[in-house]
Every structure is written in structure tokens, then in C-alpha cells.
Amino acid sequence: SNPRKTYVPPTGQGFLPKETAWHHQAHIVAIVRAALNEAFPNQPNLDPSKELSAICFTKGPGMGGPLRSCAVAARTLSKLWNIPLVAVNHCVGHIEMGRIATGATDPVVLYVSGGNTQVIAFSDQRYRIFGET
């Protein structure tokens, strides 16, 4: 499942850490509920500790406030459901989602973010950066 509640900043403002963190905090519970309902439909007595193998969260790089907000939520769910917590590199997380969506096995990616641009390739079961700004 992949429900989303995308933060859209006011025109001309860009992503500000505090406002982005507030957005994440305001929507995380509903997003988790939606993800579970979408992944496990018609299971009102679902026990996530028996269905999920891990809780993953973005460790960085990125803005501290939003990353912290999601890390706290992830740690809480990991403790609540007694399942492992896995930190994921932000860039790699985006690339892996693209690999799953497209079925690519050895992508070469132009990763463009607010703070950096990288040419990244997947080789020998790991990502390698071939150039960056």
C-alpha cells in the first residue's frame, strides 16, 4: 500500500522545516491507518505485530524537523508492535520505490533534490555515486 498526504507549501515559499514537520505530525496517524487498511482489507482485528516484518523510516539526509517527526512515529510503532526498526537513506528510499514501481534491476538515476544533485548507479548490490553537485 502507498497512501499519501503530500505537503504543498504556499506558492513561492518552498519547504520550511517547521511547517513540513507539523504537516507530518498532523497526518501520520491517518496515513498509518490508511496503509494498514489498504494492505490488509477487511481485517478489523488486525495485529500488525503478526503481519509486518519491520518499520522503516527515513534517517536522512534531509530537514531535521520532518525527519525527527517521522523517526519518533516509527520508533513508537516499532516499540508498540515489537517489530524491528530499520533506518533508510532518504535518497536510496526514493530510488528503491522507483525500482519497485518500474521493475528496473540496475538503474542509473539522476537524483535531483533541493540540496543536491547526484548521478547514482546500482551495481554489485549497492548504490554508487558517480557525480554530484
Side-chain angles (χ1 to χ4, degrees), residues 8-118:
V8 180
T11 302
Q13 183 176 343
F15 289 88
L16 299 175
K18 184 169 50 172
E19 286 75 8
T20 306
W22 286 344
H23 174 270
H24 289 6
Q25 292 165 18
H27 297 286
I28 189 66
V29 172
I31 290 292
V32 169
R33 282 188 181 138
L36 291 172
N37 288 334
E38 190 176 301
F40 306 101
N42 304 315
Q43 293 187 36
N45 298 318
L46 176 73
D47 181 357
S49 67
K50 294 181 180 165
E51 300 295 338
L52 303 177
S53 55
I55 298 288
C56 299
F57 72 101
T58 302
K59 185 174 182 181
M63 296 183 290
L67 291 172
R68 243 183 330 277
S69 297
C70 293
V72 167
R75 278 193 291 274
T76 301
L77 294 175
S78 172
K79 292 288 187 188
L80 179 68
W81 295 331
N82 195 33
I83 55 180
L85 184 65
V86 178
V88 177
N89 177 283
H90 192 176
C91 306
V92 172
H94 282 291
I95 295 168
E96 282 295 303
M97 288 172 30
R99 281 186 62 200
I100 290 168
T102 64
T105 56
D106 57 352
V108 175
V109 177
L110 176 61
Y111 182 80
V112 181
S113 180
N116 64 326
T117 300
Q118 299 173 318

